[in-house]
Amino acid sequence: MSEVHALYAWESLYAHLSRRPRYSLEDLRAAAGPDITPTSDEPEDDAPAAIFVTWNTLERSPNPHTDPDADDDSGKQLRGCIGTFAATSPLRKQIERYAVIAGVDDTRFNPISAAELDRATSTTDDIFDTPSRTSMQCSVSVLADFTPLAAPYDGWEIGRHGLQISYDVVGGRRGLSATFLPEVAEEQGWTKDQTLDALFRKGGWRPSTRGASWRDEVKITEAKTYRTLKRSATIAKWKAIRARLDAR
């Protein structure tokens, strides 16, 4: 997995919003050159993959010692996150599809617009012009190592494993499901119990009475863990690389 896959998500969303031609993965990789170092675990662009694409806004304060292109979690706010567990299409096609779906179809948020991309920090030179400047970040996570989970508390670690759980509400809704990527619980500072409570609520469970617990009201039908290969890229880096391509 390399940063170029996150850059390709930026390119895919931008092409959709602006109705402009999309540069290819190969174009971005060539233009980035030594700015991006391939890793040993980088998946093949045309290999089937299950992925999630995550969009975030980044509110940053001026700090001369901060790298504006760093994968910094400070001031991070979720802007959209959607993906698929079905590895039915090549990685490049999955990125093209879910970059757009996560950006404009996540019903928890207003769709990302072309104007929003234009307003976001466009170069590393102007990121500290004001006390707080909005930037954006995209992450692409490739899912792997799916493992059945026998008990909800056992067999997984916060920050290391993602969770996918299907369940029924006792005496209520059936066929609910939810997932958290590995970083979610760690970023929120949750315990395992808090993570599971939030996960069931995300899928649609609500306590029947004040103080009711999911332990008494939820029947798990399937649970599994997974690992992710994740890479991120800021809008600043994508715009810089796209400018190189436009200047050719």
Side-chain angles (χ1 to χ4, degrees):
M1 197 64 185
S2 80
E3 193 178 4
V4 72
H5 295 103
L7 294 170
Y8 193 52
W10 277 114
E11 184 64 22
S12 297
L13 179 63
Y14 174 75
H16 172 81
L17 295 175
S18 66
R19 308 292 184 185
R20 294 183 62 179
R22 178 179 59 231
Y23 286 118
S24 69
L25 261 171
E26 289 77 11
D27 291 331
L28 293 169
R29 193 175 277 119
D35 291 345
I36 293 178
T37 303
T39 59
S40 59
D41 57 3
E42 184 170 354
E44 296 181 9
D45 298 337
D46 295 309
I51 77 163
F52 270 71
V53 176
T54 304
W55 298 102
N56 290 294
T57 57
L58 303 172
E59 293 289 344
R60 297 185 177 183
S61 299
N63 182 342
H65 303 296
T66 300
D67 176 2
D69 278 338
D71 189 4
D72 182 6
D73 289 348
S74 61
K76 180 187 292 187
Q77 295 292 326
L78 184 64
R79 193 64 182 79
C81 181
I82 295 179
T84 178
F85 288 95
T88 54
S89 297
L91 175 58
R92 72 170 73 227
K93 294 296 183 184
Q94 297 283 56
I95 294 173
E96 292 167 11
R97 175 176 173 79
Y98 286 98
V100 174
I101 293 175
V104 304
D105 290 338
D106 190 330
T107 57
R108 297 172 293 176
F109 308 95
N110 291 327
I112 295 174
S113 66
E116 184 175 356
L117 298 189
D118 289 340
R119 288 194 303 269
T121 301
S122 59
T123 71
T124 56
D125 294 326
D126 67 3
I127 196 166
F128 299 129
D129 281 353
T130 58
S132 179
R133 190 69 179 260
T134 300
S135 185
M136 295 183 71
Q137 179 193 64
C138 177
S139 299
V140 175
S141 300
V142 175
L143 283 52
D145 300 334
F146 289 91
T147 304
L149 193 63
Y153 284 103
D154 300 330
W156 63 281
E157 300 175 24
I158 289 175
R160 181 177 175 87
H161 297 97
L163 291 176
Q164 181 190 16
I165 294 183
S166 300
Y167 61 96
D168 300 331
V169 176
V170 177
R173 299 171 64 187
R174 301 175 63 85
L176 303 179
S177 64
T179 189
F180 279 146
L181 296 173
E183 63 268 22
V184 172
E186 187 172 42
E187 290 176 351
Q188 297 297 323
W190 289 336
T191 63
K192 280 192 173 184
D193 190 66
Q194 291 171 324
T195 301
L196 291 165
D197 183 84
L199 185 60
F200 289 120
R201 289 174 185 268
K202 180 183 180 183
W205 168 73
R206 295 295 181 270
S208 60
T209 60
R210 185 172 182 176
S213 169
W214 60 266
R215 298 177 189 81
D216 303 316
E217 299 192 343
V218 163
K219 180 182 179 181
I220 298 173
T221 57
E222 185 181 22
K224 62 182 69 174
T225 65
Y226 57 88
R227 302 283 297 277
T228 61
L229 301 173
K230 175 187 172 185
R231 292 296 182 269
S232 304
T234 62
I235 193 170
K237 178 160 282 190
W238 166 70
K239 285 187 175 182
I241 290 175
R242 194 175 213 284
R244 295 178 196 173
L245 290 167
D246 288 341
R248 292 186 306 183

